[in-house]
Amino acid sequence: MTHQHQHQHSTAHDHAPAEPGLSPAEHWEQRYAGDDRVWSGRVNATLAVVVGGFAPGTSIDLGCGEGGDVLWLAEHGWQATGLDISETAVGRARTEAAARGLHGATFTAADLSAWQPEPASTDLVTASFFQSDVELDRRAILRRAASGLREGGHLVVISHAAPPSWADDHRGDMVGASEQVKQLALPAEDWATEVAEDRRRPATGPNGEHGEHLDAVVVLRRRR
């Protein structure tokens, strides 16, 4: 599944378009084909800042890729689970967790379009750049994932609000933070919006040009 710039997720403007006829699982297996890691393995910097203020507990990362966020969470005291459709990505994440001696990091290959969390069972759900150029009912998956949070738990979603400044391939799933909160449509009596901001960060384009990304950052807390 797609994930962070700093370590594991990407989106359509970062790589070739999806090959017609491939299932989502086949697409992502093809994406992770080869001997080299796709991403750097570092945590998404924005997620680290947001989650760094939370007391550690249990967490689930959606579309974990090669596991950078999950590994960081485990290193900071979380019992962290990563889910991804790619068996190859999950295998690499498990290998890295073992190499670091991180018993608090676990990974499962799962098709999130069919995945159901145990209700009110976890403290944190993260989704960093959980956007895809193959079929993905992102809103439904995030809403189901939110049902897995217990009272006081947080849903943290970091995503592309727009293409990078050097690109013009704007996709329909690139919307700002406030619009994403509206799309999720979680009941206000049950959910508090702690952060809904579009944040700019510097970036370097494929030809070395200076530019920026616009990230949508959403943090929701379950009231009850």
Side-chain angles (χ1 to χ4, degrees), residues 73-209:
L73 286 163
E75 288 173 337
H76 288 77
W78 293 81
Q79 292 295 312
T81 298
L83 305 176
D84 200 282
I85 197 170
S86 168
E87 294 272 5
T88 299
V90 164
R92 289 177 181 164
R94 288 173 178 158
T95 298
E96 184 63 21
R100 299 189 195 184
L102 293 174
H103 302 294
T106 59
F107 299 91
T108 300
D111 181 355
L112 291 174
S113 66
W115 170 75
Q116 291 281 353
E118 182 180 344
S121 61
T122 196
D123 300 299
L124 174 67
V125 171
T126 57
S128 297
F129 301 103
F130 182 57
Q131 293 159 287
S132 177
D133 49 359
V134 292
E135 183 179 355
L136 179 73
D137 192 344
R138 182 174 179 272
R139 176 180 176 274
I141 292 168
L142 290 173
R143 284 178 58 86
R144 282 201 304 274
S147 73
L149 286 163
R150 57 175 59 100
E151 183 178 341
H154 289 87
L155 174 65
V156 178
V157 182
I158 303 167
S159 59
H160 298 290
S165 56
W166 56 84
D168 57 6
D169 56 339
H170 200 297
R171 295 178 4 207
D173 63 353
M174 293 185 184
V175 297
S178 296
E179 180 60 27
Q180 290 195 45
V181 173
K182 291 179 183 177
Q183 289 180 357
L184 286 172
L186 295 170
E189 62 271 22
D190 296 335
W191 295 88
T193 302
E194 295 192 341
V195 179
E197 300 175 358
D198 296 334
R199 300 180 181 177
R200 300 183 183 277
R201 59 183 168 90
T204 302
N207 298 314
E209 64 269 45

